[in-house]
Amino acid sequence: MFLHQTVKRNKNLVDAAFFLHRRGDILPDSYVIDVDTFLENAGKMLKKARDRGVTLYFMLKQAGRNPYLAKELVNIGYEGAVAVDYREALTMMQHQIPIGNAGHLVQPPQSFTERLVDYGPKVITIYSREKAREIEAAASKLGKRQAVMVRVYGESDMIYSGQSAGFCLEELWDTAVWIKTHCPHIEIRGITSFPCYFYDQEAGDIMPSKNLGTVLKGAEILRACGVETSLINTPSATCCRTLDKMACFGGNCGEPGHGLSGTTPMHADHDLEERPAVVYVSEISHNFFGNACCFGGGHYRRSHLRHALVGESAERGTEMEVIPPSAESIDYHFQIPRERAVGETVVMAFRFQIFVTRSDVVLVRGLRAGKPEIAGIYDSQGRKKDGF
């Protein structure tokens, strides 16, 4: 999906991936992240967000919840992380990373709520009155006041499978009044949905979804019942281009994830401000019935994986088709429809969600100086590894 763009716009990364694997520094099934480009992309977004009056919380599930990257993002000025689920919140807490938004796609479980409130996220996204009661009880016990963000949905909104959640727009007024009445230790600070923006390939641009209209209507309802929401959280595909769209269509809070690595769907088709910063490295394992098989482990069902470079470098590699495993199969191997030499390096660039894989995350710096150095190797859950 991103191979051509990555070779075109960040050839140093592709060459470094070949070099590090051929030298034996990294194993197959490794994502290699160009940290310097990653942070350069992050800085561009942060500057534009400040110009547009938009708050940004960074999301790192796609990069394996990596604490090294999280600390670097905080150092350049990001307010905190989006902890998409409680496991990611735990990782950020273990590394003293401030949390901006917790629970957007997965609520904190009951036994974890008090610990999370005690840590002090800027907001916790909620979907139910039951969760509001839990947060109220924890905040009351701790003598704190916790801000929350309410997730809403409306008729015909886009809701991905496995992410069904939210307060119906028609019940939002009653819910807000109920929270104000029954939860004195809770403050409603924001409203959200997902996805609010998406890449329309036919239009060739980032476009607002129906969910954005629902969020904006929800903000009006909250204001009408006396709740001033300072955060109109409109996530998905957050990058510089999306921030420009927010200035036109609405929203003042974004959650850059793939924007940080220059790998939103729009980045595959266009030269946007952010440059690609991630590749996947594998190795030819064996040949079978005329096909080469390379090591897997990092496949994501929505990866749109199509091609790989096989060989020694970006210039001396052969572009080849890749056949991913079927959705119901474990990705032990990817297939290439021609035999290759066992041990050859394979470099790919596709859409990824590292936290759902068993891959290594290899952080590399110094590519522009021609001196790639590994800053650290981590597993897919953000735990540092001692080489291999």
Side-chain angles (χ1 to χ4, degrees):
M1 183 177 183
F2 299 106
L3 185 61
H4 293 164
Q5 282 287 71
T6 307
V7 171
K8 173 184 173 184
R9 304 192 67 202
N10 196 350
K11 181 174 170 291
N12 288 340
L13 171 59
V14 179
D15 286 337
F18 276 106
F19 171 74
L20 292 169
H21 175 260
R22 287 170 59 79
R23 196 171 70 176
D25 290 348
I26 60 176
L27 287 168
D29 185 26
S30 290
Y31 284 92
V32 180
I33 300 181
D34 175 356
V35 176
D36 299 329
T37 297
F38 188 96
L39 295 176
E40 181 182 87
N41 293 340
K44 289 177 180 177
M45 274 187 282
L46 192 60
K47 182 180 184 305
K48 180 159 287 192
R50 287 168 174 167
D51 291 343
R52 298 280 187 266
V54 175
T55 297
L56 293 182
Y57 300 136
F58 61 82
M59 180 175 284
L60 289 177
K61 64 181 174 65
Q62 75 290 341
R65 300 167 168 159
N66 191 271
Y68 180 101
L69 295 176
K71 289 176 182 177
E72 291 293 304
L73 291 168
V74 171
N75 288 341
I76 68 172
Y78 277 77
E79 294 188 30
V82 180
V84 72
D85 63 14
Y86 52 92
R87 298 191 187 280
E88 189 161 4
L90 274 169
T91 299
M92 296 301 141
M93 291 161 67
Q94 287 163 1
H95 292 273
Q96 294 80 53
I97 304 298
I99 295 176
N101 180 11
H104 189 166
L105 294 183
V106 180
Q107 299 278 264
Q110 190 174 62
S111 61
F112 181 63
T113 300
E114 183 178 327
R115 184 175 172 186
L116 179 64
V117 171
D118 191 40
Y119 189 74
K122 294 184 185 298
V123 291
I124 300 174
T125 295
I126 60 171
Y127 314 154
S128 68
R129 293 188 182 187
E130 290 84 357
K131 193 56 60 178
R133 285 194 189 98
E134 288 179 19
I135 295 170
E136 166 63 25
S140 175
K141 180 179 177 181
L142 294 166
K144 302 183 72 170
R145 185 169 169 81
Q146 176 63 55
V148 300
M149 185 128 63
V150 291
R151 179 173 173 178
V152 293
Y153 70 91
E155 187 177 354
S156 301
D157 276 4
M158 185 185 302
I159 301 178
Y160 291 119
S161 176
Q163 298 180 18
S164 305
F167 294 104
C168 176
L169 195 61
E170 283 70 26
E171 66 175 314
L172 182 58
W173 178 290
D174 289 342
T175 298
V177 171
W178 181 88
I179 290 174
K180 288 173 64 177
T181 304
H182 294 89
C183 303
H185 296 85
I186 287 181
E187 170 196 354
I188 301 175
R189 188 174 294 170
I191 188 167
T192 190
S193 180
F194 182 88
C196 292
Y197 288 93
F198 68 100
Y199 173 53
D200 185 327
Q201 193 166 27
E202 193 171 309
D205 205 353
I206 300 289
M207 303 297 291
S209 72
K210 289 184 178 179
N211 302 44
L212 176 64
T214 297
V215 168
L216 297 178
K217 288 177 185 175
E220 292 176 4
I221 291 170
L222 290 176
R223 282 193 290 270
C225 67
V227 176
E228 287 298 327
T229 51
S230 58
L231 293 176
I232 312 297
N233 184 243
T234 55
S236 192
T238 305
C239 60
C240 287
R241 182 63 178 160
T242 311
L243 294 172
D244 290 334
K245 291 291 182 175
M246 285 187 191
C248 299
F249 295 104
N252 65 11
C253 183
E255 300 179 350
H258 278 282
L260 298 167
S261 50
T263 52
T264 76
M266 189 171 179
H267 285 88
D269 297 335
H270 300 270
D271 293 351
L272 301 183
E273 294 184 52
E274 304 86 6
R275 294 191 302 125
V278 181
V279 294
Y280 181 75
V281 177
S282 187
E283 172 187 314
I284 301 298
S285 164
H286 61 282
N287 294 299
F288 186 74
F289 278 89
N291 293 334
C293 297
C294 62
F295 295 98
H299 184 51
Y300 171 56
R301 289 191 297 272
R302 296 172 60 208
S303 68
H304 300 284
L305 171 61
R306 298 188 184 96
H307 300 96
L309 285 174
V310 185
E312 299 179 4
S313 66
E315 291 180 348
R316 297 170 64 186
T318 302
E319 183 176 321
M320 307 190 74
E321 181 187 353
V322 180
I323 305 170
S326 59
E328 66 271 15
S329 299
I330 299 172
D331 62 327
Y332 291 114
H333 302 103
F334 300 104
Q335 284 196 338
I336 293 171
R338 195 196 316 170
E339 291 192 357
R340 298 291 300 196
V342 170
E344 273 192 296
T345 303
V346 182
V347 174
M348 313 175 202
F350 49 82
R351 189 157 177 83
F352 52 90
Q353 290 288 351
I354 298 175
F355 81 115
V356 300
T357 72
R358 54 191 185 276
S359 306
D360 285 345
V361 178
V362 181
L363 304 180
V364 179
R365 307 201 75 152
L367 297 186
R368 293 186 188 176
K371 297 179 180 179
E373 293 184 0
I374 295 177
I377 299 178
Y378 295 77
D379 70 10
S380 62
Q381 304 304 310
R383 295 178 289 250
K384 193 167 186 180
K385 304 180 73 172
D386 295 324
F388 60 82

